[in-house]
Amino acid sequence: MKKTIAIVLAAVMAFAILPLLAACNNANTVNLLNWGDYLDPELIDAFKQQTGYTVKETNVTSNEEMLIQLDQDDCPYDMCIPSDYAVERLIAKGRLAEIDYNNIPNIKYIDKDLLEKCEVFDPGNKYSVPYTWGILGIMYNTKLVDEADLGSWDLLWNEKYAGQIYMYNSIRDSMAAALIKCGYDINTDNEAEINEAADALIELKNKNIVQAWLTDDVKDNMVNEDGAIALVYSGDAVWSMNTEDGGNADLSFFVPEEGSNIYFDNIVIPVNSKKKDIAEQFINFLLDPENAAKNTEFIGYSSPNTEVAELIDEFFTGNPAYNLTDEEKARCEIFRDLGDKIEMYEKAWDRVFK
Amino acid sequence: MKRVRLSYPYVFVWMPIFIIAPMLFVLYYALFRDGHFTFEFVKQVFADTTYLGAFWNSLWIALATTAICLLIGYPVSYILSNMKKRTAALVSLLFILPMWMNMLLRTLAWKIILAKWGQLYTPGAVLIATIYDFLPFMILPIYTTLMKLDKSHIEAARDLGANGVQTFLRVVLPQSIPGIISGVTMVFVPAMSTFAISTMLGGGEVVLLGQKIEEKFLSGSPGVIGVGSTLAIVLIILVIISMIIMNKVEKNNGTEGGTLW
């Protein structure tokens, strides 16, 4: 018996070591740390055919996991696609390499207006290239929600729809909705304002207005019409509305008039990457209008590429969650890295979820 | 070669790297901030009632799961142990079969069923799925001890005039206590720290200690990880206390331990 246990343990240990071996890679491979389903795999094949280089993808589900991975000196990744505030933190920590735009001529296709917005977290656009962007807003079912009730964040607090509303189980996002509803900035570090926003969320719980606080399940539940209203990112709304991908045509989306959060997922190169030139070659490849269009149809998130709108399916260009207007953009703000001040948000959130 | 040597890799390599070191890290994060010793996080966890709700939810879900698993699991194991060997093997396979499937998939299946019943995002939903997931861990150890039970003891009891109930209470039950204790430990301890099921089926209405810990660790900010670490330590202490109680019960029954399966 003991022998068996020892053998089993030895086997388990051998498996534990495997990932370490996988990190040793050959010269023709670049490693990309990415979100799941966030790059058309056919583009990886096409890149390999064109250049001979292999892009190996590793998936994570949160910016925090990306931050942990990229905060190591022996980080094995050559590219990563974190969101705005994570890029800001990585720059502050000196974890990113400056991008050589001589290797990325296709940067000319990126919307100047969006590049300017990115300067909030990456001054001079030195370290990051926009990959996708979107806005936090409200998705609703046109059959179940009165048009007269639309337009404001108040919809999420509307008791008429009690039990049919989904909130996002994520601190910054749900707090952003509450902060704006209360008339405050989404990056506030004023404790009284944060507490007032938390009280607004507690009201949602106490009055049973919210059916559930979820993450990815929101999309499925909205498609199945288990609920009528949800706090979502525009990219997720596009996915939920795409009937070709199992979506629901009765869903729609709006950006509340009080303003909201605009987010960017940008490609960055970790400072210790030894294959920076290949990474830049791949970034340039992704910015090519044809490739960007193909990728956009796969992901469904808004593309910062100015040429893409001409090339993609009408479903996207006619979709209120994909085709976000300049006026909507102007109303929105980017999440800033709050550093230690996030603790105030955590404490307030703990009051909501006791 | 002495068999003891086979355990060396486990004792000297595996345990320090994968069990002791992580625990020390957690302890460090709970008591230090930026390299300085602090009781800040401990105070924050114990100062107010914020985490009492999550603690209480975890405790009652774990206790209820254990009790119900025992109520269902014991009779099932008893029936299994009285079946013909081949039938018993087949039926017990049916209980193990769901375990071959990924736990998240099973929980996802429950999500659909519970939504049909209108019970999704309630404490009951979390409880039902937890019981379902942990039931095999109760049945198997009890079944194993009952299998090993010497049938001649039962015959002797019957010969000496004990009726069915007496035989069960005075012969079968006392001898199966090691199995019950293994089962209770294997259900209670993981049920106490589970978080995936309540995340998927609780919808924010039922928040468990495990969820709070996960949330704190994923935030990535040192001040928040400190709180998560302190909560993790509290959970470890609770688990140790429950193990001690379980051990006491086992010793008091005068039976030999070590029959996990």
Side-chain angles (χ1 to χ4, degrees):
Chain A
M1 190 58 196
K2 271 189 187 144
K3 210 174 211 168
T4 329
I5 290 174
I7 290 168
V8 169
L9 285 172
V12 171
M13 281 166 68
F15 275 112
I17 292 165
L18 277 181
L20 301 177
L21 298 175
C24 310
N25 46 51
N26 69 53
N28 287 329
T29 306
V30 278
N31 292 311
L32 166 66
L33 189 64
N34 195 7
W35 308 84
D37 285 330
Y38 214 45
L39 172 66
D40 188 346
E42 286 179 22
L43 288 179
I44 293 180
D45 297 339
F47 184 68
K48 181 165 186 170
Q49 272 186 352
Q50 244 178 59
T51 63
Y53 297 123
T54 307
V55 176
K56 205 174 134 237
E57 228 190 324
T58 308
N59 292 334
V60 286
T61 55
S62 75
N63 276 302
E64 283 61 35
E65 286 172 72
M66 289 183 178
L67 286 169
I68 292 167
Q69 296 282 352
L70 264 62
D71 204 10
Q72 288 158 2
D73 287 326
D74 55 353
C75 162
Y77 300 101
D78 305 293
M79 280 174 286
C80 182
I81 313 187
S83 307
D84 34 52
Y85 73 95
V87 175
E88 186 177 5
R89 197 182 303 177
L90 287 166
I91 294 173
K93 286 189 161 185
R95 287 294 173 189
L96 301 182
E98 247 186 78
I99 288 167
D100 182 357
Y101 283 102
N102 292 325
N103 293 333
I104 308 181
N106 286 340
I107 191 75
K108 64 175 183 252
Y109 297 121
I110 299 289
D111 189 330
K112 299 283 174 297
D113 187 34
L114 292 173
L115 274 176
E116 200 186 309
K117 277 203 176 284
C118 288
E119 296 212 34
V120 169
F121 56 89
D122 179 11
N125 303 114
K126 279 189 200 159
Y127 299 96
S128 70
V129 179
Y131 182 71
T132 57
W133 66 283
I135 294 177
L136 183 69
I138 298 176
M139 174 157 70
Y140 62 99
N141 190 314
T142 49
K143 284 189 308 190
L144 305 172
V145 180
D146 277 342
E147 234 182 286
D149 297 327
L150 303 175
S152 157
W153 284 113
D154 290 335
L155 181 60
L156 295 175
W157 275 263
N158 193 332
E159 288 179 57
K160 197 165 134 192
Y161 304 102
Q164 300 185 66
I165 297 174
Y166 294 113
M167 285 295 278
Y168 216 54
N169 189 11
S170 142
I171 300 185
R172 286 298 297 267
D173 305 317
S174 283
M175 283 294 282
L179 280 166
I180 301 170
K181 179 197 143 60
C182 298
Y184 304 126
D185 189 286
I186 58 169
N187 293 309
T188 182
D189 56 5
N190 178 321
E191 200 157 5
E193 292 177 2
I194 294 170
N195 276 327
E196 198 183 323
D199 287 339
L201 294 180
I202 291 171
E203 182 193 332
L204 286 181
K205 284 203 83 175
N206 289 348
K207 290 188 181 166
N208 288 319
I209 295 174
V210 171
Q211 187 193 109
W213 305 69
L214 305 169
T215 49
D216 276 348
D217 283 353
V218 168
K219 294 183 273 181
D220 285 330
N221 290 7
M222 286 298 287
V223 169
N224 295 335
E225 302 189 354
D226 294 330
I229 297 161
L231 174 70
V232 293
Y233 275 99
S234 52
D236 289 338
V238 175
W239 185 91
S240 307
M241 290 180 225
N242 192 350
T243 44
E244 279 186 24
D245 216 6
N248 185 329
D250 290 321
L251 297 177
S252 191
F253 176 88
F254 71 90
V255 178
E257 60 206 11
E258 300 96 329
S260 185
N261 161 247
I262 179 169
Y263 76 88
F264 289 89
D265 286 341
N266 285 15
I267 317 179
V268 299
I269 302 175
V271 70
N272 289 329
S273 165
K274 289 179 184 65
K275 293 160 190 160
K276 188 166 170 271
D277 51 329
I278 307 174
E280 280 163 350
Q281 211 176 327
F282 186 63
I283 295 172
N284 193 50
F285 173 84
L286 289 178
L287 297 192
D288 172 80
E290 293 281 340
N291 295 336
K294 195 164 161 34
N295 204 21
T296 300
E297 289 197 336
F298 179 85
I299 309 173
Y301 281 47
S302 304
S303 169
N305 198 307
T306 49
E307 312 300 302
V308 159
E310 306 265 306
L311 302 166
I312 52 176
D313 195 275
E314 275 173 25
F315 162 77
F316 292 99
T317 41
N319 186 306
Y322 180 86
N323 203 2
L324 299 156
T325 65
D326 287 343
E327 186 270 324
E328 282 169 329
K329 266 189 261 176
R331 267 187 268 158
C332 295
E333 236 191 298
I334 293 174
F335 275 140
R336 303 302 304 275
D337 180 23
L338 293 170
D340 282 349
K341 296 196 174 104
I342 191 74
E343 286 169 47
M344 281 191 269
Y345 283 78
E346 287 277 348
K347 279 182 194 160
W349 187 253
D350 279 340
R351 285 202 298 123
V352 183
F353 291 96
K354 285 199 183 192
Chain B
M1 191 168 91
K2 279 187 186 165
R3 281 182 170 188
V4 180
R5 280 204 194 143
L6 285 168
S7 70
Y8 285 179
Y10 176 72
V11 175
F12 296 108
V13 180
W14 180 270
M15 276 208 340
I17 296 180
F18 294 107
I19 298 177
I20 296 169
M23 299 257 248
L24 290 177
F25 276 125
V26 171
L27 195 64
Y28 176 82
Y29 281 125
L31 295 174
F32 286 83
R33 181 175 188 145
D34 307 325
H36 300 289
F37 184 79
T38 174
F39 271 127
E40 180 192 340
F41 304 127
V42 180
K43 273 191 208 140
Q44 203 182 321
V45 167
F46 289 101
D48 54 48
T49 54
T50 311
Y51 301 104
L52 213 61
F55 164 74
W56 184 242
N57 281 342
S58 287
L59 193 66
W60 84 255
I61 295 247
L63 284 174
T65 302
T66 314
I68 297 171
C69 279
L70 185 60
L71 278 177
I72 304 172
Y74 198 96
V76 169
S77 314
Y78 189 70
I79 296 166
L80 276 175
S81 70
N82 283 323
M83 283 178 174
K84 274 190 212 146
K85 270 239 165 88
R86 286 175 66 184
T87 333
L90 190 74
V91 177
S92 62
L93 183 71
L94 289 179
F95 281 98
I96 305 168
L97 212 55
M99 289 166 71
W100 294 0
M101 221 176 358
N102 185 293
M103 194 196 96
L104 294 179
L105 279 182
R106 280 181 276 150
T107 312
L108 214 56
W110 269 111
K111 195 193 143 192
I112 297 163
I113 298 170
L114 289 161
K116 284 234 155 65
W117 291 349
Q119 288 298 311
L120 194 57
Y121 311 132
T122 62
V126 177
L127 186 61
I128 290 174
T130 314
I131 292 168
Y132 175 80
D133 272 339
F134 289 122
L135 188 59
F137 296 105
M138 184 66 86
I139 294 178
L140 290 175
I142 298 179
Y143 170 58
T144 315
T145 35
L146 287 175
M147 280 282 294
K148 283 196 232 151
L149 193 133
D150 193 342
K151 292 281 185 291
S152 58
H153 289 190
I154 298 170
E155 281 162 25
R158 293 315 269 286
D159 286 348
L160 291 168
N163 62 27
V165 178
Q166 283 170 324
T167 314
F168 175 76
L169 288 178
R170 303 189 59 178
V171 178
V172 180
L173 191 61
Q175 294 200 56
S176 59
I177 280 185
I180 294 177
I181 294 198
S182 299
V184 167
T185 313
M186 290 176 72
V187 171
F188 181 79
V189 173
M192 188 75 196
S193 55
T194 179
F195 65 90
I197 298 169
S198 58
T199 305
M200 288 170 78
L201 304 178
E205 301 298 320
V206 201
V207 180
L208 303 186
L209 210 50
Q211 267 171 286
K212 277 281 166 204
I213 296 170
E214 188 215 10
E215 192 185 294
K216 300 289 168 206
F217 268 85
L218 284 184
S219 94
S221 168
V224 183
I225 288 180
V227 176
S229 299
T230 312
L231 288 172
I233 301 270
V234 170
L235 191 59
I236 292 171
I237 293 171
L238 287 173
V239 167
I240 292 174
I241 292 174
S242 60
M243 301 274 269
I244 291 173
I245 295 174
M246 244 80 90
N247 258 328
K248 277 260 159 64
V249 175
E250 195 170 10
K251 284 226 178 75
N252 287 347
N253 273 282
T255 42
E256 285 167 42
T259 40
L260 205 54
W261 290 92

